[in-house]
Amino acid sequence: MKFDYIVEGGEFINAGIASAKLKKVLKQLGIASDIIRKVAISMYEAEINMVIHADGGHIEGEITPEKIEVLLIDKGPGIEDLDLAMTEGYSTASKQAREMGFGAGMGLPNIKRNSDHLNISTKLGVGTTVHISFKIT
Amino acid sequence: MKVQEIVNELNLEVITCNQLLDREVSDGCVGDLLSVVMGKATKDCVWVTVQSHINIIAVGMLVEVSCIIVSEGFSIDNDAISKAQEEDVILLSSKESNYKIAAKLSALDI
Ligand SMILES: Nc1ncnc2c1ncn2[C@@H]1O[C@H](COP(=O)(O)OP(=O)(O)OP(=O)(O)O)[C@@H](O)[C@H]1O
Ligand SMILES: [Mg+2]
């Protein structure tokens, strides 16, 4: 089964909607709750990153009997130093985002910890694609 | 322990989901940085925070907290309240600080 979501940029209000929708789909499919939790946390962090760092983007993915694949694609500024971005506590979040409790620099490390596979391809001035996958069996 | 007992013991104001207060609470988490909470909060925990905007509902839903206590008497955004109602997230409010609330929860063995 394939899925597709648009993520609006700038609006913190709507952030997390796609993750909540996918979570409901996974529940309906009867996926184990510990896997659903990992998918929800990882996808939410990546979705929020698209909103606060890249002015939105889109999400596509597929659920098969073996795994869940999620691709989060944006045309934002890209990430200059990926190793640095993966470091716990590193953040370039705006003052406005920080006041709302974003910007701990824990999003990417959370994704790494909760997914079975994480790959980020990014190019300055072009955008970022975050590819996450989870084994079901 | 049930949410209802915490509401009674800590004298909390129930903002949403009055009908769900028999939900169980198994653990606690205090935090105002959302992705720290995403990483640390366990399923069915009570989450104490000063944040009072709509994104706490998304976080609460995704990590499946038992309830959220907004501390310091901060007024909760209307869109957060309606989202919480829609998604069955129990929102509670307290005038006390994160520290005081956590101390009282701890005294209740949470
Ligand atoms: N999609 C993206 N586009 C551009 N930069 C990004 C993107 N995702 C992450 N980054 C960069 O990587 C840094 C680290 O991301 P991470 O999610 O770990 O922390 P954060 O978003 O700053 O804070 P937190 O997730 O704790 O709220 C960000 O501050 C930002 O500089
Ligand atoms: Mg982040």
Side-chain angles (χ1 to χ4, degrees), chain A residues 45-46 48-49 52-53 102-103 105-108, chain B residues 35:
Chain A
E45 293 287 10
I48 288 286
N49 280 352
I52 68 176
H53 304 298
F102 299 109
M106 289 303 297
L108 293 176
Chain B
S35 51

Side-chain angles (χ1 to χ4, degrees), chain B:
Chain B
M1 170 148 324
K2 298 206 186 296
V3 176
Q4 181 72 64
E5 294 168 68
I6 294 175
V7 167
N8 296 346
E9 293 290 331
L10 275 68
N11 208 354
L12 304 173
E13 187 186 344
V14 179
I15 311 292
T16 63
C17 305
N18 218 334
Q19 74 287 4
L20 298 176
L21 299 184
D22 62 347
R23 198 180 277 170
E24 284 290 331
V25 176
S26 62
D27 195 1
C29 171
V30 179
D32 306 324
L33 296 172
L34 302 182
S35 51
V36 174
V37 173
M38 288 292 275
K40 290 248 164 78
T42 50
K43 190 173 182 300
D44 299 325
C45 74
V46 40
W47 172 26
V48 186
T49 183
V50 296
Q51 299 291 351
S52 54
H53 54 81
I54 190 164
N55 296 89
I56 63 171
I57 312 303
V59 171
M61 245 168 77
L62 293 172
V63 299
E64 294 179 40
V65 301
S66 182
C67 61
I68 304 174
I69 304 178
V70 175
S71 63
E72 304 280 0
F74 283 126
S75 83
I76 303 174
D77 295 351
N78 281 332
D79 53 2
I81 294 175
S82 38
K83 185 82 183 162
Q85 266 153 356
E86 220 173 279
E87 301 290 349
D88 288 344
V89 173
I90 304 174
L91 265 182
L92 309 167
S93 161
S94 167
K95 293 217 161 24
E96 294 187 295
S97 67
N98 281 358
Y99 171 75
K100 270 279 164 60
I101 296 167
K104 288 184 177 178
L105 288 172
S106 166
L108 293 174
D109 264 344
I110 287 176

